[in-house]
Amino acid sequence: MKVIIYIALCLLLGIMAALALTNTFPFNSGGIGNPTAKDILKGNPDADILKLDGLIYSNVSDREWLDDNRYTKGEKIGEIKKQTTATWWFRNFFATKLPKGTKIFMSNGKEYGEYPPSLVIVEINNEELVYQAMVEG
């Protein structure tokens, strides 16, 4: 009986490992979700992103539509804790291009509250960069 249970557990773990290696585990119910660092870096390994409140923000400072709007630095949210491209452990306040200690601010005088902001401003080398939340829907 112990041998049968051992074999069943080995088979189950083997199947789960195979599914994880083929990116089909954990199972996706077909719903659309916000992109992860892994999703973005898979398509563009040189992407300039940061993570805040579980959302990925992308540098949009060079976009044409940004010239039409004026963004001002608001309340400080925090600082970058680590610069990394390791997608397995890409946590809040991690960034791919911004160095550790880079300050993150709210935009246009909005307060940091219950919901993640759609835009944040980053201050680096006396320059302000705008990052936009990457959300689906």
Side-chain angles (χ1 to χ4, degrees):
M1 185 65 169
K2 289 181 182 179
V3 172
I4 294 172
I5 293 173
Y6 178 75
I7 291 171
L9 284 175
C10 288
L11 285 172
L12 179 65
L13 289 173
I15 291 169
M16 288 174 56
L19 291 173
L21 291 173
T22 60
N23 288 330
T24 56
F25 184 80
F27 299 108
N28 187 350
S29 63
I32 297 174
N34 295 330
T36 64
K38 183 178 181 180
D39 296 334
I40 293 172
L41 293 173
K42 185 177 179 182
N44 179 8
D46 200 40
D48 184 1
I49 60 172
L50 65 89
K51 186 172 183 178
L52 175 67
D53 288 338
L55 291 177
I56 300 296
Y57 290 76
S58 179
N59 185 342
V60 294
S61 299
D62 61 347
R63 304 292 157 81
E64 288 181 24
W65 58 264
L66 195 64
D67 295 336
D68 297 334
N69 299 305
R70 178 96 178 128
Y71 296 97
T72 57
K73 186 171 60 171
E75 144 186 34
K76 181 180 173 185
I77 297 172
E79 297 181 0
I80 297 297
K81 295 179 182 177
K82 184 175 183 178
Q83 181 182 15
T84 183
T85 56
T87 58
W88 276 86
W89 304 108
F90 203 87
R91 300 176 188 252
N92 286 326
F93 296 100
F94 281 20
T96 56
K97 302 288 182 187
L98 300 170
K100 180 179 178 179
T102 302
K103 295 176 178 69
I104 305 171
F105 299 89
M106 291 294 294
S107 66
N108 297 341
K110 295 180 183 171
E111 291 187 22
Y112 188 61
E114 183 178 340
Y115 301 104
S118 58
L119 292 170
V120 294
I121 295 177
V122 170
E123 186 178 73
I124 183 168
N125 300 328
N126 296 323
E127 183 181 0
E128 293 179 358
L129 304 174
V130 179
Y131 283 72
Q132 181 180 27
M134 307 296 290
V135 293
E136 289 291 329

